[in-house]
Amino acid sequence: MAPFRPGDLEEGDVVFEEDIIRNPYNLKSWLRYIEHKQSRKAPRPAINLIYERALKELPGSYKLWYAYLKRRRLHAKTKVITDPEYVKVNNAFERCLVFLSKMPRIWLDYGQFLVDQAMVTRVRHTLDRALRSLPLTQHDRVWPLYMKFIRAHDIPETGIRIYRRYLKLFPENGEDYVDYLKSINRLDLAAQKLADLLNQENFKSKHGKSHYQMWRDLCTLMSENPDKMKDMKVEAIIRCGLDRFSCEIGSMWCSLAQYQSRSGWFERARDVYEEAMSKVTTARDFGQVFDAYAHFEETVIEGKMSATSDGEVDEEDEIDVELWMARFENLMERRPLLLNSVLLRQNPHNVHEWHKRVSLFEGKPKEIINTYAEAVRTVDPKQAAGKLHTLWVAFAKFYESNKQLDEARSIFKMAVQVAFRNVEDLAAVWCEYAEMEIRAEQYDKARQVMREATAMPKERAAYHDSSAPVQNRVFRSLKLWSMHCDLEESLGTFQTTKAVYNRILELGIASPQIVLNFALFLEESNYFEDAFTVYERGVGMFKWPNVYDIWNTYLTKFLERYEGRKLERARDLFEQCVEGCPDKFAKNIYLLFAKMEEEHGMARHAMAVYERATSAVLPNEQFEMFNIYIQRAAAIFGVTHTRQIYEKAIEVLPDDATRDMCVRFAQLERKLGEIDRARAVFMHASQLADPRLHPDFWKHWQEFEVAHGNEDTYRELLRIKRSVQAQYNTAVNYMSAQMLAASGQTAQAPESSGGGGGDTMKAVEAKAMAVAEQAKAEVAAKSKLLFVRSSDKEMADEVAREDNPDEIVLGEDDDEEDEQNAAQKPALVELAQQPVPSEVFGKLAPKEDDET
């Protein structure tokens, strides 16, 4: 660079020169001078000369050196790397590092500048100098550039050495070293380093890999490159991984077998596959191993067949090919059995899988027997998944199917000594034992088996006492006793069968069906009183609703047997039955009771039973029961006797049923010619029939009035219909509309007067209460029978149109005549009522005094 001469100064530089002469060690003076020259776009050498002069005075200024080197680098990058300018910049960096060797930024810029020049050796030396000069705490800024430089150039030996130095400071980046070794094809070192990482208990992958994934990567690396693994004990390492992990190890087994096959040891590979299939415990691992095994067999067979097809084939080669093909076919045939073995290793107490294994040995008796024997030895009764007793039963039936009854009996005798989890399992074994003897036509032995099964043990226990063995509880099994009863009924005597049934009742384990079967057995043997005694014991053992079938059968059989000969006893039985009978079952019992009284007793007693039944049955059955009561009363005493029943039904039944009952009552009175009584019934029921919801009722009444009434009665019908319509109008909607209107008016008042919100709400509430009271008063007034003055015709017509727009308009002449007749009457009068004899209504007669 040319030296500074005063003649090189430009206009305006004198001020800055004087400033730096006065203050040569002032950094800001030099920076102002440089900034001035840059703003005047001075030549590059002139600006560089000022930087050199400044650095001569201030050689330790990081700010000057950084700006100067950056300027020189940018200028050099515009030229080729062989230009001398690069050498000058490198020398500038070296001069800078003499004074600023502790500045990592200068080292990084210098290193990156050398990397761009592709000066490999100088880069390595420079970065090594940087690591020696900088403190250890700043090495993490240098190493990323160093690693990037190593991976960018093919210098494997140097790279390995540098990586080893790097890992001493950053051991967590061991996976990057493994990837680098793979990239330079040093797979043996990569495997060793990966194995070292796996041996470190505290190592955590920065890529998020688990130990299992790293083990799998190691196995894959070794198995795919067996010729590169010179110092690695591959088989020992893979087996160490197999011992460490218990699930998802199928890929490791495949890696071990692949290592053997790639090494040319095909027989050892086959042994590895066979060992794997005998040790894996999941269906997924088995699927991986089996597929790899099958692919290996196919590959070997294809290779041998292609080798024999190329040249001459001798007898040994043919035998070898046939042997491999036979092995492959055997492998395909064994797949279901091998899979079953895997599932049994996963859960040896799975009863279903043991049955499936037996079915796989179909046609091989020896293997079936061995499988059953292994199954009953292996499965723990307390841990069994499924019903263990089915294994014992199937084992015995296998011997039975092969005509070996003695061996089958031995199996059953061992089975009944097993500590099953449930009593029913042991009971099922005893029953199967007896059924086998029956199939062999050994009936006495079958009965003997059931006697042994139901014999009283020395140590008795409750049926549900899980702490006691099932052998001490099985004597209470109803399943065993039921089969014992069936055997005795079919093969035994009357006394033995009766003794078995009595024993069941004594133990208190009988079901209602057992009681019925016992009684039926006695009836078939013509022991009727004994059968009735059994029924009595049955009804004493059970409560409702379980006792319903016993009572129903008992009462039916008793009536069939004695009919009306023991009437008092039958009545006592019925009374005892209905005493605690729920309303759900009362209907049939009362109907049977009444039928007995009708056929064998007294009619009034039958009516009394029907009357009791109407209040004893379910509410939804009361209407039907009243109909039956009315029908029977009409058949026995005549239709006039049914009036009292109708009256009671109208009092008791709900509204819907009462309305239908009133229609029937009115039809009855109509048939009897009691038109006024029928009309009174319609008037009573009209209060329960909303015209909008029950138009059928009003249709019946209209038909009745058309057939038997006149104009006045029809008018009365229409008036009552309007009154009922008003009663059933929804008062809530009416009051809601009034409240909304009232609230709208009161809300406007505070706005105009500026009143508070609390007074407004009180006013609304008070108005709502007043409207509600007014609505109640109007509804009560409408319920009375009132007339409107005939002189106010227009008002009456308007009210009629509002109440019922569908009203039938009668003739105008009649209206005028009514107006003339009513002109002299008071403005508003109550309707006079003519007294009606109370006998017409019975209990429905009004209790208030007659008006005159």
Side-chain angles (χ1 to χ4, degrees):
M1 182 175 295
F4 169 73
R5 292 187 298 271
D8 296 336
L9 295 175
E10 298 178 355
E11 185 180 357
D13 294 345
V14 177
V15 178
F16 293 99
E17 287 290 340
E18 292 176 352
D19 186 20
I20 61 176
I21 289 173
R22 286 193 302 267
N23 302 305
Y25 303 111
N26 189 348
L27 178 61
K28 292 184 179 180
S29 299
W30 289 105
L31 292 178
R32 283 195 295 267
Y33 193 8
I34 293 171
E35 185 178 357
H36 165 70
K37 298 296 285 184
Q38 289 177 348
S39 63
R40 299 293 295 271
K41 298 183 180 180
R44 180 182 55 79
I47 298 176
N48 290 345
L49 180 60
I50 297 174
Y51 270 114
E52 289 290 345
R53 291 171 59 194
L55 290 172
K56 185 177 180 180
E57 300 295 336
L58 298 171
S61 174
Y62 170 78
K63 197 169 187 178
L64 280 174
W65 274 114
Y66 183 77
Y68 180 42
L69 294 175
K70 182 178 181 181
R71 180 180 181 81
R72 296 293 299 271
R73 286 201 316 274
L74 293 176
H75 175 67
K77 287 183 179 180
T78 61
K79 302 178 180 299
V80 296
I81 60 174
T82 58
D83 192 273
E85 183 66 22
Y86 277 91
V87 178
K88 295 178 181 179
V89 177
N90 292 340
N91 294 333
F93 269 108
E94 291 292 342
R95 287 189 292 117
C96 174
L97 290 173
V98 172
F99 302 100
L100 301 176
S101 62
K102 300 299 182 181
M103 295 296 173
R105 182 73 262 168
I106 304 300
W107 285 110
L108 293 176
D109 291 344
Y110 187 22
Q112 185 62 49
F113 189 64
L114 293 176
V115 169
D116 295 340
Q117 299 177 56
M119 303 175 69
V120 177
T121 303
R122 190 167 181 177
V123 170
R124 182 170 58 83
H125 290 169
T126 301
L127 293 178
D128 288 341
R129 288 166 54 200
L131 291 173
R132 287 194 297 269
S133 300
L134 294 174
L136 187 63
T137 56
Q138 294 182 345
H139 283 195
D140 57 339
R141 302 183 62 181
V142 180
W143 276 114
L145 178 61
Y146 211 163
M147 293 297 100
K148 181 180 179 182
F149 161 72
I150 290 299
R151 288 192 291 267
H153 297 82
D154 187 15
I155 45 177
E157 292 299 330
T158 303
I160 291 173
R161 287 172 172 78
I162 293 173
Y163 252 110
R164 287 174 179 171
R165 292 167 53 197
Y166 172 63
L167 291 178
K168 289 181 180 179
L169 186 61
F170 303 103
E172 65 273 7
N173 296 325
E175 291 177 281
D176 296 337
Y177 181 35
V178 173
D179 296 337
Y180 175 72
L181 292 173
K182 291 180 181 179
S183 65
I184 63 175
N185 203 25
R186 295 298 299 272
L187 302 180
D188 54 341
L189 293 178
Q192 290 178 7
K193 183 59 182 177
L194 192 55
D196 292 340
L197 295 178
L198 288 171
N199 289 330
Q200 299 176 13
E201 295 182 357
N202 298 328
F203 177 77
K204 292 184 179 180
S205 171
K206 72 175 187 177
H207 300 305
K209 292 184 178 180
S210 63
H211 273 244
Y212 170 75
Q213 290 174 322
M214 296 178 67
W215 266 105
R216 191 168 59 184
D217 294 342
L218 176 60
C219 295
T220 303
L221 178 63
M222 293 187 299
S223 63
E224 292 180 353
N225 305 278
D227 54 332
K228 302 289 182 64
M229 303 295 118
K230 299 178 181 179
D231 300 330
M232 301 288 292
K233 296 180 180 180
V234 178
E235 184 172 355
I237 293 175
I238 296 178
R239 288 190 178 275
C240 180
L242 292 172
D243 295 337
R244 178 173 297 187
F245 302 99
S246 59
C247 60
E248 296 187 4
I249 57 176
S251 59
M252 292 187 183
W253 281 111
C254 294
S255 298
L256 180 56
Q258 189 178 10
Y259 168 75
Q260 304 287 3
S261 62
R262 286 179 182 270
S263 300
W265 305 326
F266 298 125
E267 293 297 332
R268 294 177 65 178
R270 287 187 70 257
D271 295 340
V272 170
Y273 280 123
E274 291 289 343
E275 182 183 0
M277 289 191 298
S278 63
K279 289 187 176 181
V280 294
T281 57
T282 62
R284 179 181 179 181
D285 293 339
F286 172 78
Q288 290 180 345
V289 174
F290 185 85
D291 293 341
Y293 191 7
H295 180 68
F296 165 73
E297 294 281 358
E298 291 177 353
T299 305
V300 173
I301 292 174
E302 289 177 0
K304 289 184 176 294
M305 292 183 68
S306 61
T308 55
S309 62
D310 295 340
E312 296 181 357
V313 181
D314 56 5
E315 185 177 356
E316 293 183 359
D317 294 338
E318 292 181 354
I319 293 175
D320 191 21
V321 172
E322 292 179 358
L323 177 61
W324 279 94
M325 293 185 68
R327 287 173 176 173
F328 181 69
E329 293 175 358
N330 183 37
L331 176 64
M332 293 293 105
E333 293 175 357
R334 288 189 299 138
R335 188 184 188 284
L337 188 61
L338 293 171
L339 179 59
N340 179 262
S341 300
V342 171
L343 297 177
L344 286 176
R345 282 195 296 274
Q346 187 176 0
N347 182 13
H349 307 291
N350 192 332
V351 177
H352 176 69
E353 291 299 330
W354 282 110
H355 282 297
K356 188 183 295 184
R357 188 175 184 84
V358 171
S359 63
L360 294 175
F361 287 118
E362 186 176 359
K364 300 177 181 178
K366 186 175 181 180
E367 286 78 1
I368 291 176
I369 293 174
N370 293 334
T371 302
Y372 274 126
E374 183 182 1
V376 296
R377 284 197 307 268
T378 304
V379 179
D380 185 3
K382 303 299 181 183
Q383 304 179 17
K387 297 182 179 181
L388 175 59
H389 73 278
T390 57
L391 277 176
W392 288 98
V393 172
F395 194 5
K397 284 186 176 181
F398 175 75
Y399 279 117
E400 180 188 1
S401 62
N402 289 277
K403 309 300 181 182
Q404 298 180 4
L405 294 180
D406 293 336
E407 287 77 3
R409 293 188 181 99
S410 301
I411 297 299
F412 274 121
K413 289 179 181 179
M414 289 188 292
V416 297
Q417 302 300 323
V418 176
F420 292 104
R421 185 165 50 192
N422 299 319
V423 177
E424 291 304 314
D425 296 341
L426 180 58
V429 174
W430 279 111
C431 292
E432 292 290 344
Y433 189 5
E435 289 177 0
M436 184 196 71
E437 298 291 355
I438 293 173
R439 288 192 295 269
E441 298 182 357
Q442 300 292 329
Y443 304 118
D444 292 337
K445 289 185 178 180
R447 295 171 61 195
Q448 180 62 30
V449 167
M450 297 312 300
R451 283 194 290 269
E452 293 178 5
T454 56
M456 191 71 65
K458 295 181 179 179
E459 298 180 2
R460 305 177 188 178
Y463 183 83
H464 297 287
D465 185 7
S466 58
S467 61
V470 291
Q471 283 75 14
N472 294 343
R473 296 182 284 155
V474 73
F475 75 98
R476 292 183 177 275
S477 173
L478 183 60
K479 182 177 182 179
L480 276 181
W481 284 103
S482 298
M483 186 171 181
H484 196 182
C485 293
D486 295 340
L487 282 179
E488 293 297 337
E489 285 189 35
S490 303
L491 306 173
T493 62
F494 172 79
Q495 295 300 330
T496 57
T497 305
K498 184 178 179 181
V500 171
Y501 275 117
N502 284 325
R503 184 58 180 159
I504 294 175
L505 296 179
E506 291 173 1
L507 290 175
I509 60 174
S511 64
Q513 189 60 47
I514 291 292
V515 174
L516 296 177
N517 292 343
F518 188 15
L520 181 61
F521 169 74
L522 293 174
E523 289 178 15
E524 292 175 352
S525 301
N526 296 326
Y527 289 86
F528 297 102
E529 284 299 331
D530 292 344
F532 296 150
T533 303
V534 171
Y535 285 126
E536 291 287 349
R537 296 175 65 181
V539 297
M541 293 173 61
F542 300 99
K543 297 181 180 180
W544 293 94
N546 298 324
V547 77
Y548 171 71
D549 293 329
I550 299 177
W551 270 119
N552 193 20
T553 307
Y554 183 18
L555 296 173
T556 304
K557 294 292 184 180
F558 189 87
L559 294 178
E560 291 179 357
R561 172 65 178 169
Y562 293 110
E563 295 180 347
R565 295 193 297 273
K566 295 187 178 183
L567 189 58
E568 290 300 326
R569 181 179 173 183
R571 286 173 177 165
D572 291 340
L573 291 177
F574 274 108
E575 292 294 340
Q576 182 181 353
C577 176
V578 301
E579 182 178 357
C581 179
D583 52 3
K584 181 179 179 181
F585 306 98
K587 178 181 176 181
N588 293 335
I589 301 297
Y590 275 103
L591 290 178
L592 188 62
F593 191 3
K595 182 180 179 182
M596 181 201 70
E597 291 291 353
E598 288 183 21
E599 295 179 353
H600 309 292
M602 302 176 65
R604 59 185 181 85
H605 288 175
M607 294 299 104
V609 172
Y610 280 123
E611 185 175 359
R612 291 169 58 188
T614 57
S615 59
V617 298
L618 292 172
N620 58 353
E621 294 179 347
Q622 282 185 322
F623 183 73
E624 182 182 359
M625 183 56 68
F626 268 111
N627 288 331
I628 297 174
Y629 184 15
I630 292 170
Q631 181 181 3
R632 299 310 304 159
I636 297 175
F637 295 104
V639 292
T640 56
H641 187 74
T642 61
R643 285 174 174 164
Q644 298 177 355
I645 304 175
Y646 275 115
E647 293 172 4
K648 181 180 179 181
I650 292 172
E651 292 178 358
V652 174
L653 292 176
D655 291 348
D656 292 338
T658 300
R659 188 170 48 254
D660 296 338
M661 189 62 70
C662 286
V663 172
R664 296 190 180 191
F665 191 12
Q667 291 177 353
L668 172 65
E669 296 293 356
R670 177 184 176 182
K671 292 178 182 179
L672 296 176
E674 298 289 345
I675 304 303
D676 293 337
R677 292 173 63 91
R679 183 176 292 109
V681 173
F682 273 121
M683 293 175 64
H684 174 77
S686 64
Q687 304 302 317
L688 306 175
D690 188 351
R692 294 168 299 180
L693 301 179
H694 310 101
D696 294 340
F697 171 81
W698 296 98
K699 182 179 178 181
H700 286 301
W701 193 1
Q702 287 179 357
E703 293 176 354
F704 170 79
E705 293 296 347
V706 169
H708 303 284
N710 53 35
E711 183 178 340
D712 294 335
T713 58
Y714 200 87
R715 280 178 178 274
E716 183 68 12
L717 164 65
L718 296 179
R719 188 197 60 77
I720 294 175
K721 185 176 182 180
R722 289 195 302 270
S723 176
V724 173
Q725 179 78 41
Q727 289 181 1
Y728 279 97
N729 280 338
T730 308
V732 176
N733 295 337
Y734 174 74
M735 287 189 293
S736 299
Q738 295 295 329
M739 290 173 63
L740 289 175
S743 62
Q745 295 176 0
T746 54
Q748 294 174 359
E751 292 179 359
S752 58
S753 61
D759 297 335
T760 302
M761 293 304 298
K762 291 181 179 179
V764 171
E765 292 176 357
K767 186 66 175 178
M769 295 178 63
V771 171
E773 294 295 336
Q774 182 180 359
K776 291 181 180 179
E778 290 178 0
V779 172
K782 289 182 179 180
S783 62
K784 296 182 179 181
L785 302 179
L786 302 176
F787 285 119
V788 182
R789 288 187 59 180
S790 58
S791 60
D792 299 334
K793 180 177 182 301
E794 296 179 357
M795 182 182 299
D797 293 341
E798 183 178 357
V799 171
R801 285 196 299 271
E802 291 178 355
D803 289 344
N804 188 5
D806 298 331
E807 180 184 1
I808 300 176
V809 180
L810 300 177
E812 296 181 355
D813 298 336
D814 297 335
D815 293 340
E816 293 178 357
E817 183 179 353
D818 292 339
E819 291 178 3
Q820 294 176 0
N821 295 333
Q824 300 176 357
K825 293 183 179 180
L828 186 65
V829 296
E830 294 186 358
L831 180 65
Q833 298 181 358
Q834 183 179 0
V836 181
S838 59
E839 291 79 2
V840 175
F841 297 96
K843 294 183 179 181
L844 295 178
K847 297 180 181 181
E848 52 199 39
D849 297 335
D850 296 334
E851 297 181 1
T852 57

